[in-house]
Amino acid sequence: MLSFRRRLALAHVVVVTAVLAIAATLTYLSLVASLRQQLDGALLVLAEQEASMLAANPDLPVTVHEAPSAVSASASGTGSAPPPSYARLDRLVQIIDRDGQVLARSANLGASTLPSDAALLARLADGEAVFENLAYGDEPTRRVSVPVQGGRALAVQVAGSLDDVDHNIDAAGWIFGAMGVVLVVVLTVTGTLMTGRVFGAIDDVTRQAQRIGDRTLSDRLPHPGPHDEMGRLIDTLNDMLARLEQAFEAQRRFTADASHELRSPLSRLRTELEITLRRPREPAEYVDALRSSLDEVVRLTTLAEELLTLARLDSGQESATASAVAIAPLLEEVVRRARPAATRRDVDLQLDTLATADPAASEDADGEPVPAASAGRPIAAHLPRQLLVLVATNLVDNAVKFAPAGGTVRVSLGTREGWSAIVVEDDGPGIPEEERPRLFERFYRGAGARAAEVPGTGLGLALCDAIVRAAGGRIDIDDSPLGGGRFSVLLPAPR
Ligand code: ADP
């Protein structure tokens, strides 16, 4: 199989040759036709001149005029001897009668005659002017026979050599041929050089790209300089490399963080079990140890499930879209499950929702979600139920975790700009402006959370964000009027 470069060069040569051959052939043919027409025209003019003179003087003896007639010269007003005539030079002229007998001939014919066959005589008798090629002597000859009206003469025949015309045609053939070959060679060479340069640059890029592997993703392809097609290709490839590098880096960080997060509870569990088994203990101690181990196992299971859900969302296996699910009952369940933890910290956990949405219900002037009128449809979202529970649980657990002891957490449901909106807010420390862009990163934990040793892995919000984005929604973070952070989950409302 020929390389693309060779195929392109070959196609270039074939197209150039074909175009040149067609153009040269057409030009050559039109030149040939024009040269022949020119000769035919000259012969015809002379023959018609001679024929009209014969027709004008039917009573005079039939002769061939070797020079322009004195009659036409005096008619033109000069009155003197006619100028020499190039039109009669090299022309053989003869006048024939109905039997093909020569009545008169030009001096340059000598004693010989131009042949006339019966078919020609018949066509002339019908009044037709006839052009033909003759083999007269050793020169190719062109002849026209023009019928004469009245008198003894049937026709005037004028013949001329085709030698000059044929010579010009041959010369033109050679010139066109040679020009064609030179053009094909020049265009082929320049075409090959140009494609060679382009493909050389592509080969360079291929070689450099081959050197870049997963360990050298930070390398970039060298830019050729100008922002032409090649420059844009390199820019695009470099942008793609940057995105790949980012994704690779995120993946690497994620794996490292995930292993770290899994290892810590496992080693705690192991230490606890080893210590417990070091000597015989009272049954109550065993129960305590088992309970604490169970807590670690529950945490590990949650973490493993969260990681799995994230991995599934990443690979597109977990479909975030589903049939519409009513949000209000689901929020009630989440809040009910969070209530014991809230009560332990003396946090007032409020659920503020009317479980329906009316198309007429909208937002107030501040864009705050407005609880919908009870007559409308229930506020819903297209999301698998367990994923929506995961999102709500994470936000409510966070709010309860970060609210101060004796504080307030408010969960509300409504619509905003045509979206279904779940808002979770608290009166905790809030989220510093500079931390907000990083909050959805996997394993990211805010400085406050780390300093106050609030338990957590930093995976919850990343998971919420992945789920909500996969469902076509978003999570907004701002300050709550309660004083802490406010998380608004906006999901496309079912139509
Ligand atoms: P985790 O809660 O396990 O640390 P998340 O992903 O749920 O992980 O949260 C990431 C970070 O976001 C937290 O470490 C904390 O800094 C910040 N955060 C989340 N919710 C709140 C909240 N309600 N108030 C203040 N900060 C919050």
Side-chain angles (χ1 to χ4, degrees):
M1 181 72 181
L2 285 176
S3 69
F4 180 56
R5 181 190 195 147
R6 286 187 200 290
R7 274 183 288 151
L8 196 67
L10 196 66
H12 173 70
V13 172
V14 169
V15 170
V16 164
T17 311
V19 169
L20 280 177
I22 291 171
T25 308
L26 290 179
T27 317
Y28 174 78
L29 290 179
S30 63
L31 182 74
V32 168
S34 144
L35 285 174
R36 293 213 164 123
Q37 263 171 22
Q38 225 178 336
L39 177 63
D40 284 357
L43 295 178
L44 187 64
V45 165
L46 189 51
E48 280 176 343
Q49 223 174 44
E50 205 68 45
S52 67
M53 283 191 282
L54 272 178
N57 306 292
D59 303 330
L60 291 181
V62 176
T63 52
V64 169
H65 299 80
E66 297 290 342
S69 76
V71 179
S72 62
S74 60
S76 66
T78 58
S80 53
S85 166
Y86 288 112
R88 285 167 194 270
L89 216 63
D90 293 341
R91 301 287 185 251
L92 305 174
V93 185
Q94 72 179 14
I95 300 168
I96 52 170
D97 66 10
R98 282 170 202 288
D99 301 323
Q101 295 301 314
V102 177
L103 299 178
R105 71 191 91 181
S106 58
N108 53 3
L109 263 173
S112 57
T113 55
L114 298 169
S116 305
D117 57 21
L120 174 67
L121 294 176
R123 287 171 70 186
L124 288 171
D126 284 347
E128 192 184 337
V130 181
F131 286 96
E132 25 178 13
N133 289 344
L134 293 181
Y136 178 72
D138 48 5
E139 274 196 38
T141 303
R142 182 79 172 159
R143 178 177 71 180
V144 64
S145 307
V146 175
V148 180
Q149 304 300 323
R152 285 175 57 208
L154 168 68
V156 176
Q157 297 182 308
V158 178
S161 169
L162 271 172
D163 221 26
D164 282 352
V165 170
D166 286 353
H167 180 74
N168 285 341
I169 289 173
D170 281 355
W174 280 106
I175 290 171
F176 281 132
M179 244 169 56
V181 170
V182 170
L183 274 175
V184 167
V185 169
V186 169
L187 289 175
T188 306
V189 170
T190 50
T192 311
L193 287 179
M194 269 156 59
T195 47
R197 270 189 57 185
V198 172
F199 281 93
I202 293 178
D203 279 348
D204 274 356
V205 173
T206 311
R207 264 194 304 280
Q208 282 151 4
Q210 273 166 349
R211 282 210 314 270
I212 299 178
D214 57 349
R215 294 193 182 283
T216 48
L217 266 183
S218 57
D219 286 1
R220 293 290 176 270
L221 300 168
H223 200 282
H227 280 275
D228 51 10
E229 286 80 355
M230 207 59 200
R232 282 201 298 278
L233 175 68
I234 301 288
D235 281 342
T236 311
L237 289 176
N238 279 341
D239 286 351
M240 193 181 75
L241 277 174
R243 286 196 298 274
L244 276 178
E245 188 190 6
Q246 260 176 21
F248 232 75
E249 192 42 46
Q251 206 63 38
R252 219 179 326 223
R253 235 185 7 243
F254 180 58
T255 317
D257 290 343
S259 356
H260 178 259
E261 289 301 326
L262 286 169
R263 208 177 48 190
S264 309
L266 276 173
S267 52
R268 279 200 299 274
L269 192 60
R270 180 178 168 174
T271 315
E272 181 137 25
L273 292 174
E274 280 173 351
I275 291 173
T276 311
L277 289 174
R278 214 168 267 167
R279 58 181 170 78
R281 295 182 186 273
E282 293 300 312
E285 280 181 286
Y286 283 122
V287 171
D288 275 354
L290 281 176
R291 261 213 191 99
S292 141
S293 301
L294 185 62
D295 281 350
E296 288 297 354
V297 171
V298 168
R299 258 198 296 281
L300 270 171
T301 318
T302 313
L303 183 61
E305 273 167 5
E306 285 179 342
L307 285 173
L308 205 62
T309 312
L310 266 176
R312 285 209 191 109
L313 280 169
D314 282 349
S315 67
Q317 283 174 28
E318 183 83 69
S319 161
T321 50
S323 53
V325 56
I327 303 177
L330 182 148
L331 281 186
E332 279 161 16
E333 181 191 322
V334 169
V335 166
R336 183 161 29 80
R337 277 203 252 136
R339 207 166 285 289
T343 312
R344 266 202 301 280
R345 302 197 55 236
D346 195 20
V347 167
D348 178 17
L349 177 55
Q350 308 168 355
L351 176 61
D352 182 7
T353 168
L354 293 175
T356 52
D358 189 316
S362 61
E363 311 77 39
D364 65 12
D366 302 330
E368 291 291 310
V370 174
S374 56
R377 290 173 286 129
I379 297 177
H382 282 295
L383 209 67
R385 195 173 190 285
Q386 78 280 8
L387 291 188
L388 196 50
V389 167
L390 212 61
V391 172
T393 307
N394 262 307
L395 294 178
V396 173
D397 284 356
N398 272 354
V400 169
K401 223 161 55 174
F402 286 99
T408 308
V409 169
R410 190 162 65 210
V411 181
S412 41
L413 175 65
T415 56
R416 185 188 291 180
E417 294 161 17
W419 303 77
S420 300
I422 304 169
V423 179
V424 181
E425 53 200 323
D426 60 65
D427 58 352
I431 298 111
E433 199 72 51
E434 66 278 6
E435 284 187 6
R436 288 181 191 176
R438 300 202 55 196
L439 234 49
F440 297 128
E441 285 177 22
R442 294 168 186 193
F443 296 108
Y444 176 79
R445 307 200 64 215
R450 278 177 276 131
E453 293 190 357
V454 180
T457 57
L459 212 52
L461 285 182
L463 190 59
C464 294
D465 180 56
I467 293 171
V468 170
R469 269 193 299 121
R474 66 171 201 270
I475 303 179
D476 287 349
I477 305 171
D478 60 358
D479 295 323
S480 161
L482 295 177
R486 175 163 69 173
F487 293 80
S488 307
V489 180
L490 300 174
L491 290 162
R495 308 208 162 265

